[in-house]
Amino acid sequence: MDLIIPKDYDPKLDVIETQKAIRYIRETFQDEFGKELNLTRLSAPMFVEKGTGLNDNLNGVEKPVSFTMQDMPGKTIEIVHSLAKWKRLALKRYGFKMHTGLYTNMNAIRKDENLDNIHSIYVDQWDWEKIIAKEERTTATLEATVRTIFKVIKHMEHEVWYKFPEAVHHLPDDIHFVTTQELEDEFPTLTPKEREDAITKRYGAVFLMQIGGKLKSGKRHDGRAPDYDDWQLNGDILFWYEPLQHALEISSMGIRVSEESMRAQLKDADAEDRASLPFHKMLLNGELPYTIGGGIGQSRLCMLLLGKAHVGEVQASVWPQDMIDTCYAHKIQIL
């Protein structure tokens, strides 16, 4: 547990005003975001049946919270880590057309998360997915989508400034694109997180591309599940966050795997056994649409726009008592 206490921290808004700001940000952002990307809001599950291949395996070591049901004996139900694969199946199931898509409020529990200023066991994000043509599975498509999302976030900054001028945290005017290999080449002696801090501090906002595969050093910048993002066409939206003096990830997203890239990535990750799962079979048989998608952290966005020092100021979760006590002693109002 690594807790950062900003010097002379001033939360600006009290708890009630913060709650009003949270509601405003969440309601306004999802409407503008959905309109810009041509997305329709859908209801989504909080849990899925184990064995369908629909749950997100994250880095492959995190275990989902699971339970059994009275009316489904012998079946194990898992609380989702994310809806990365469910969304792609939903686009097919509900008959979405080319260049249309969905977004949903995703609520997850990641019980193995290491708690700090920006990590909670409770994850709330807008999960989204959009159909594209196979020939649009390109870096140009990815970068154009990132710029659209960045534009909506910047517009939200102005909206929040109008409603809560004393609280808004100002953001850079543009976003810089860089690959994980370019970072390793420039900062070979730094750890991956130190590289992210260095490049994000330089530019203010960065889209870090190509996460998951091995770099020239033989190491991976970070782990990514092999069965949804294409590791050559994905990335994270990062902002340099002055209150904590490090990069703050707002979104992980990417163009999703094709049949070819899934086969290659399953082999690379030594996870070829997943190819027999229902979702993976459909994808490998060419039965699912080609898509781009990702998640945008709701609490993270509120934290960013309001300049909060701890994600617990903008979401209700469970925290160690010593963390709560330390935060309260420094004006960090954990909900």
Side-chain angles (χ1 to χ4, degrees), residues 93-122:
R93 182 183 296 160
Y94 299 143
F96 279 78
K97 306 301 182 184
M98 182 66 65
H99 299 144
T100 68
L102 64 88
Y103 76 90
T104 187
N105 286 315
M106 192 283 295
N107 296 288
I109 298 175
R110 298 181 184 174
K111 69 179 182 61
D112 297 316
E113 197 71 79
N114 294 317
L115 304 183
D116 56 25
N117 296 68
I118 63 174
H119 292 97
S120 168
I121 64 166
Y122 170 57

Side-chain angles (χ1 to χ4, degrees), residues 210-253:
Q210 299 179 6
I211 303 173
K214 291 180 180 177
L215 303 174
K216 293 176 183 176
S217 64
K219 299 178 180 179
R220 303 179 196 271
H221 179 86
D222 196 3
R224 284 293 189 276
D227 47 10
Y228 53 92
D229 277 352
D230 187 316
W231 293 343
Q232 294 301 308
L233 293 166
N234 70 345
D236 291 345
I237 297 176
L238 307 171
F239 286 87
W240 176 249
Y241 196 51
E242 284 288 342
L244 300 179
Q245 288 293 295
H246 63 62
L248 180 64
E249 178 194 323
I250 294 297
S251 175
S252 178
M253 59 174 286

Side-chain angles (χ1 to χ4, degrees), residues 70-99:
Q70 177 177 303
D71 290 337
M72 295 178 65
K75 299 289 187 180
T76 299
I77 310 301
E78 296 179 344
I79 296 179
V80 297
H81 278 149
S82 85
L83 297 169
K85 289 174 279 189
W86 176 87
K87 294 175 295 181
R88 193 167 178 179
L89 183 61
L91 290 175
K92 173 182 172 62
R93 182 183 296 160
Y94 299 143
F96 279 78
K97 306 301 182 184
M98 182 66 65
H99 299 144

Side-chain angles (χ1 to χ4, degrees), residues 1-4 109-123 300 310-312 315 317-324 327 334:
M1 183 179 71
D2 298 310
L3 181 63
I4 299 171
I109 298 175
R110 298 181 184 174
K111 69 179 182 61
D112 297 316
E113 197 71 79
N114 294 317
L115 304 183
D116 56 25
N117 296 68
I118 63 174
H119 292 97
S120 168
I121 64 166
Y122 170 57
V123 180
R300 289 272 184 97
H310 196 289
V311 68
Q315 65 159 236
S317 184
V318 177
W319 310 96
Q321 190 60 48
D322 59 341
M323 179 183 282
I324 295 173
C327 286
I334 302 295

Side-chain angles (χ1 to χ4, degrees), residues 33 37 53 55 70 77 100 115 123 148 181 272 285 296 302 309:
F33 169 69
L37 286 183
N55 207 352
Q70 177 177 303
I77 310 301
T100 68
L115 304 183
V123 180
T148 298
Q181 188 58 62
E272 291 177 283
N285 289 336
I296 301 174
C302 292

Side-chain angles (χ1 to χ4, degrees), residues 56-312:
D56 183 353
N57 296 90
L58 300 177
N59 290 320
V61 297
E62 299 90 345
K63 294 182 180 179
V65 176
S66 63
F67 59 93
T68 57
M69 292 173 56
Q70 177 177 303
D71 290 337
M72 295 178 65
K75 299 289 187 180
T76 299
I77 310 301
E78 296 179 344
I79 296 179
V80 297
H81 278 149
S82 85
L83 297 169
K85 289 174 279 189
W86 176 87
K87 294 175 295 181
R88 193 167 178 179
L89 183 61
L91 290 175
K92 173 182 172 62
R93 182 183 296 160
Y94 299 143
F96 279 78
K97 306 301 182 184
M98 182 66 65
H99 299 144
T100 68
L102 64 88
Y103 76 90
T104 187
N105 286 315
M106 192 283 295
N107 296 288
I109 298 175
R110 298 181 184 174
K111 69 179 182 61
D112 297 316
E113 197 71 79
N114 294 317
L115 304 183
D116 56 25
N117 296 68
I118 63 174
H119 292 97
S120 168
I121 64 166
Y122 170 57
V123 180
D124 55 341
Q125 63 186 34
W126 292 284
D127 255 353
W128 65 276
E129 200 82 10
K130 182 177 180 178
I131 297 176
I132 59 174
K134 187 171 186 178
E135 58 269 21
E136 292 176 306
R137 300 184 67 259
T138 64
T139 300
T141 299
L142 179 62
E143 292 187 358
T145 306
V146 169
R147 290 194 181 281
T148 298
I149 295 172
F150 181 79
K151 180 181 73 172
V152 178
I153 293 174
K154 276 294 294 181
H155 187 247
M156 276 306 307
E157 175 200 339
H158 295 299
E159 294 289 313
V160 174
W161 177 84
Y162 181 76
K163 296 278 287 188
F164 306 94
E166 73 278 20
V168 71
H169 176 70
H170 294 287
L171 308 177
D173 293 327
D174 200 5
I175 188 165
H176 178 77
F177 293 83
V178 64
T179 68
T180 53
Q181 188 58 62
E182 288 170 335
L183 275 196
E184 183 182 69
D185 292 344
E186 183 172 0
F187 305 109
T189 63
L190 301 184
T191 67
K193 290 303 178 186
E194 288 171 342
R195 292 171 197 159
E196 292 181 6
D197 287 345
I199 198 69
T200 309
K201 186 174 184 179
R202 179 189 299 171
Y203 292 106
V206 168
F207 185 64
L208 179 59
M209 298 188 290
Q210 299 179 6
I211 303 173
K214 291 180 180 177
L215 303 174
K216 293 176 183 176
S217 64
K219 299 178 180 179
R220 303 179 196 271
H221 179 86
D222 196 3
R224 284 293 189 276
D227 47 10
Y228 53 92
D229 277 352
D230 187 316
W231 293 343
Q232 294 301 308
L233 293 166
N234 70 345
D236 291 345
I237 297 176
L238 307 171
F239 286 87
W240 176 249
Y241 196 51
E242 284 288 342
L244 300 179
Q245 288 293 295
H246 63 62
L248 180 64
E249 178 194 323
I250 294 297
S251 175
S252 178
M253 59 174 286
I255 290 173
R256 306 310 199 182
V257 286
S258 62
E259 303 91 323
E260 299 83 5
S261 59
M262 178 188 266
R263 287 192 187 95
Q265 290 179 186
L266 288 177
K267 183 176 181 180
D268 184 272
D270 194 25
E272 291 177 283
D273 59 310
R274 295 188 200 174
S276 62
L277 296 171
F279 170 84
H280 300 68
K281 280 184 177 179
M282 291 183 70
L283 197 153
L284 292 171
N285 289 336
E287 298 173 23
L288 297 179
Y290 298 104
T291 63
I292 183 173
I296 301 174
Q298 296 183 11
S299 292
R300 289 272 184 97
L301 182 63
C302 292
M303 184 180 176
L304 174 72
L305 293 174
L306 299 174
K308 296 295 187 179
H310 196 289
V311 68

